[in-house]
Amino acid sequence: MPQTDRLRYLDVATRRIARGMDLDETLRELRQAAVPAFADAVFVHLDDPLPVGAERSTAPVVLRLHSADRVSPTHADTPPPPLPEVAERVQPAGGGRLAELLRDGRPAFGDAPGNAPAVAELLAAGTGPAGALPPGHRLIIAPLHGSHHVMGTVVLLRGADRPVFTGDDLLVASQLATHTALGVQKAVMYGHEAAVADTLQHTMLPSSLPEPTGVRLASRYLPASKTAQVGGDWYDAIPLPGNRVALIVGDVMGHSMTSAAIMGQLRTIVQTLAGLDLPPDEVLHHLDEQAQRLGSDHIATCLYAIYDPISHRLLMANAGHPPAVLLHEDGRAEVLGVPPGAPIGVGGVVFESVEMAAPAGATLVLYTDGLVESRDTDIGSGVEALRVRLQSTAQALASLEVLCDHVLGTLGPGTRDDDIALLAARFEGFPPDSVGYWYLAPHPMTAGQARRLTRRALRRWGLESLADPTELMVSEIVTNAVRFASRPLSLRLLRTDVLRCEVTDDSPQVPRLRQAGLGDESGRGLFLVNQLALRWGATRVSSGKVVWFEQKIPAK
C-alpha cells in the first residue's frame, strides 16, 4: 500500500473507531475498518473482566474472545478461505511469550523468532489446518494498551492471495490498536460511571410512596435510553402536619453522575424544608439559596405543591418547571397556570404560591420535561399534547396505576435523551362528618372544654369506647399548649382508619418525653400519651407547633 494511501486509510479508520460510543460499537468499527481493507480476518480478545480506573489488579490476566470477523466470499457458492481455530479463553502464562508481548505493548509478526508460543496460545490449533496460515508475515499480534492496563489483543490475518504484511503495516496495526484501546477504555469508564450514576439515582429516589389519608399516589421513573447519560430527575411525596401532603417533582439540569449527586442533595434539602411546614414559595426560596451554595453551575427546576384533604385546597409554587396538569373527575384536563419563576440556583428570584381548589376525584399529574420535550417537540406543544391525551382517555383510566402506564406508553419506542419522573395524586379528601375542628382560647378552663368537645365527637362517631383514654390524652396535650400559647390554639379530631387528634399552638417549643422524678408535680403528661397512644409526635411548623396522637379504632 503506497504511503499516501496508507495515511488516508489510517485517517478514515481511526476516525471510525473513535466515534464508537460503547464497547460493541467501538469493536464493530474496528472490524469494519480492518476487514477487508487491511486484513482478511480480525480477532479481538479482551481482558475479563475489563479493568476500571488506575488500580492494578493482582489477579492473573484472562483473555476472552469478544469479537471476530473475516472477509466474505465473492460468490455465494465459494467457501470462505480456511482460517485457524481461535481460542475462546486464554490465560497467558506468567513467563510466556504472549505475556511478554502484552507487557511490551508493540505489535509483532506471528512468525517472528520466538513468537510461535504466543500464536499457539491465541489460536487454539497453533498455525491451524494445512494452508490456513501460509508462510510469511501473515499474522500480526497487536496488544491493546490503555492508560494504566493491558486491555487485550487484536490478531490480524492475511491469506495466501494477498501480499504479506510489511514493516509499515506494523505501524498501521499499532495505530489501529492504540485507538481501539482508547475506545475500549472510554467505553468501560463510561459504562462504569453510568452504572454508578444510575444506582446512585435509584437509591436517592423514594423506595416507596407514603399512604396518607385523603389522597392516593402513584409514580413512575423511566431512565433515558442507553445512549444517553443519567439525569437528575426526582419526585417525592412528604406527609405534613394536619394530614396534608407535599408533592414535589424536580430536575437537575445536565446528565452525569454529578447531576445525580446534586439531585440527592436537593431532595434532602427539600425534605428538611418540608419538615418545617413552610409554604411552597418559601421552600423554593430556601432551596434556591442552598443550591447556590452547592455551586453556581448547578441549576434545577422544581415544582412544590401542598394538598390539604380537609379543606380540599392545593397550594403550589413553581421554579422554572413544566406546569402540572389537573385531570378533573368529569374528564376535563387543565394545565395549571402557576407562574413558572426562574430555575433553582439562579438566585435573587421571587417565587409565588398560588392557591386553588382541589376537588375530590381530581388527579394532579406532575412530571419532568423528558415526558413533554424532545428533539422534535418543544415543551409547549408537548404539554398541550399531554393534556389532550389525558382528556381523551380519562374516562377509561379509573386506576391511577393504569393512568401512569398509559402516559408513559404513549411515548413510543424512539430514543429518549432525558429521564422521566412522573408523580400522580388522586384527591379523595375527608368527608366533613369525619372531622371535628375547634379554636380554643388559652385559659385554665380550656382543657375541660377540650375534653367535653372530644367526648361529644366520639359519641357522634360511635366511638364511646375510646372516650376515656382520648379525653385523658387530649387534656394533657391541651394543658401543655395552654402553658405556652399566646394566641388561640386549635383542636382537631380526624376519623379515618385510625382516630387522630391534633393540637396546634403558636409556641415553637416542642415537648419532649422525659422521666419525671418522684417529687415532680408535672412531666408525666407525655409519658401517659406514650403509653396509651398507638403513635404520637410533635412537629414544629412555621406558625408554632403541632402535637398529635393516633389510636386504633376498634373493629365492629
Side-chain angles (χ1 to χ4, degrees):
M1 183 185 296
Q3 182 73 13
T4 303
D5 293 344
R6 184 179 293 109
L7 292 176
R8 186 179 297 112
Y9 164 76
L10 269 178
D11 179 64
V12 173
T14 54
R15 286 175 183 271
R16 291 189 62 170
I17 296 170
R19 73 187 182 192
M21 294 299 297
D22 56 29
L23 183 61
D24 291 337
E25 187 177 354
T26 297
L27 296 183
R28 182 174 67 251
E29 295 295 347
L30 167 66
R31 296 195 308 269
Q32 294 177 354
V35 177
F38 184 70
D40 292 326
V42 58
F43 306 109
V44 182
H45 288 82
L46 295 181
D47 196 1
D48 184 25
L50 281 166
V52 178
E55 294 186 9
R56 297 190 178 275
S57 173
T58 57
V61 174
V62 175
L63 302 178
R64 291 192 183 275
L65 181 64
H66 192 282
S67 189
D69 198 6
R70 61 165 54 183
V71 66
S72 301
T74 55
H75 300 286
D77 298 333
T78 304
L83 291 173
E85 181 183 351
V86 183
E88 292 287 338
R89 181 181 183 277
V90 181
Q91 185 170 341
R97 181 57 181 159
L98 180 57
E100 291 180 6
L101 290 177
L102 292 176
R103 286 193 296 268
D104 182 59
R106 290 177 295 181
F109 293 121
D111 61 345
N115 285 350
V119 175
E121 286 190 80
L122 289 171
L123 306 182
T127 56
L133 194 61
H137 294 335
R138 299 189 177 276
L139 183 146
I140 294 178
I141 301 175
L144 298 175
H145 265 229
S147 301
H148 306 282
H149 306 278
V150 174
M151 314 294 289
T153 65
V154 174
V155 175
L156 299 158
L157 298 173
R158 278 185 182 175
D161 58 339
R162 297 186 62 169
V164 298
F165 287 119
T166 66
D168 288 337
D169 290 329
L170 281 181
L171 299 178
V172 173
S174 176
Q175 288 296 308
L176 294 178
T178 297
H179 284 79
T180 301
L182 292 175
V184 169
Q185 180 174 274
K186 178 183 69 175
V188 170
M189 292 300 295
Y190 171 82
H192 175 70
E193 179 178 327
V196 171
D198 187 60
T199 301
L200 178 64
Q201 185 173 38
H202 278 83
T203 300
M204 291 180 177
L205 289 172
S207 57
S208 62
L209 292 174
E211 298 180 1
T213 304
V215 60
R216 281 187 288 153
L217 303 172
S219 64
R220 294 291 186 273
Y221 171 75
L222 191 64
S225 303
K226 293 183 179 180
T227 55
Q229 289 183 310
V230 71
D233 297 29
W234 91 93
Y235 61 87
D236 218 337
I238 306 171
L240 300 176
N243 281 82
R244 294 168 301 143
V245 60
L247 306 169
I248 307 107
V249 65
D251 184 5
V252 177
M253 295 184 183
H255 296 83
S256 66
M257 189 158 56
T258 301
S259 298
I262 294 297
M263 176 271 286
Q265 295 182 68
L266 294 183
R267 180 176 175 237
T268 300
I269 293 170
V270 169
Q271 290 177 325
T272 302
L273 294 170
L276 301 177
D277 197 23
L278 301 173
D281 58 308
E282 290 192 32
V283 170
L284 295 183
H285 170 73
H286 292 297
L287 181 63
D288 181 54
E289 289 183 331
Q290 294 299 321
Q292 292 178 69
R293 293 187 176 96
L294 296 177
S296 58
D297 55 341
H298 300 313
I299 303 298
T301 63
C302 183
L303 194 153
Y304 189 98
I306 296 177
Y307 169 62
D308 188 337
I310 297 175
S311 65
H312 296 271
R313 303 295 290 177
L314 188 67
L315 191 62
M316 184 182 300
N318 192 344
H321 200 81
V325 177
L326 186 64
L327 181 60
H328 293 266
E329 193 173 20
D330 61 5
R332 179 173 54 91
E334 173 189 4
V335 178
L336 298 182
V338 179
I344 297 297
V346 172
V349 179
V350 177
F351 301 102
E352 180 181 350
S353 291
V354 176
E355 187 174 5
M356 63 196 74
T363 302
L364 182 70
V365 180
L366 308 178
Y367 53 90
T368 53
D369 58 1
L371 181 64
V372 295
E373 187 178 30
S374 67
R375 297 176 183 178
D376 304 320
T377 307
D378 65 85
I379 196 165
S381 301
V383 172
E384 176 60 19
L386 173 63
R387 187 195 68 81
V388 172
R389 287 201 305 269
L390 289 171
Q391 185 165 288
S392 63
T393 57
Q395 299 299 330
L397 301 176
S399 166
L400 205 57
E401 298 291 339
V402 173
L403 184 145
C404 290
D405 290 337
H406 172 76
V407 169
L408 295 183
T410 57
L411 295 175
T415 299
R416 294 182 309 279
D417 297 322
D418 202 357
D419 301 1
I420 298 173
L422 176 67
L423 178 63
R426 179 157 295 165
F427 304 142
E428 296 179 335
F430 270 76
D433 59 356
S434 293
V435 181
Y437 200 103
W438 305 275
Y439 284 101
L440 306 173
H443 55 70
M445 305 301 293
T446 302
Q449 182 184 3
R451 288 195 298 270
R452 291 191 297 273
L453 294 171
T454 298
R455 180 171 292 273
R456 191 179 306 160
L458 296 183
R459 187 182 304 118
R460 186 172 70 250
W461 293 335
L463 299 177
E464 291 90 343
S465 61
L466 295 179
D468 289 340
T470 305
E471 282 188 55
L472 178 59
M473 289 187 283
V474 166
S475 180
E476 293 294 342
I477 294 177
V478 168
T479 299
N480 186 76
V482 168
R483 291 177 55 196
F484 300 100
S486 59
R487 291 196 295 268
L489 51 93
S490 66
L491 168 65
R492 183 159 68 174
L493 297 178
L494 306 171
R495 182 189 60 173
T496 59
D497 53 335
V498 296
L499 176 65
R500 180 182 176 96
C501 171
E502 299 172 353
V503 176
T504 305
D505 65 73
D506 64 341
S507 170
Q509 185 171 341
V510 176
R512 301 297 180 193
L513 185 66
R514 65 184 180 89
Q515 188 69 44
L518 293 176
D520 292 343
E521 296 183 1
S522 61
R524 296 176 178 83
L526 286 183
F527 180 79
L528 289 173
V529 173
N530 187 61
Q531 294 296 312
L532 296 174
L534 178 66
R535 295 191 310 150
W536 76 278
T539 305
R540 184 178 287 112
V541 296
S542 57
S543 59
K545 68 174 178 294
V546 177
V547 182
W548 58 269
F549 66 82
E550 292 178 350
Q551 289 178 279
K552 185 177 180 180
I553 294 179
K556 294 184 179 180

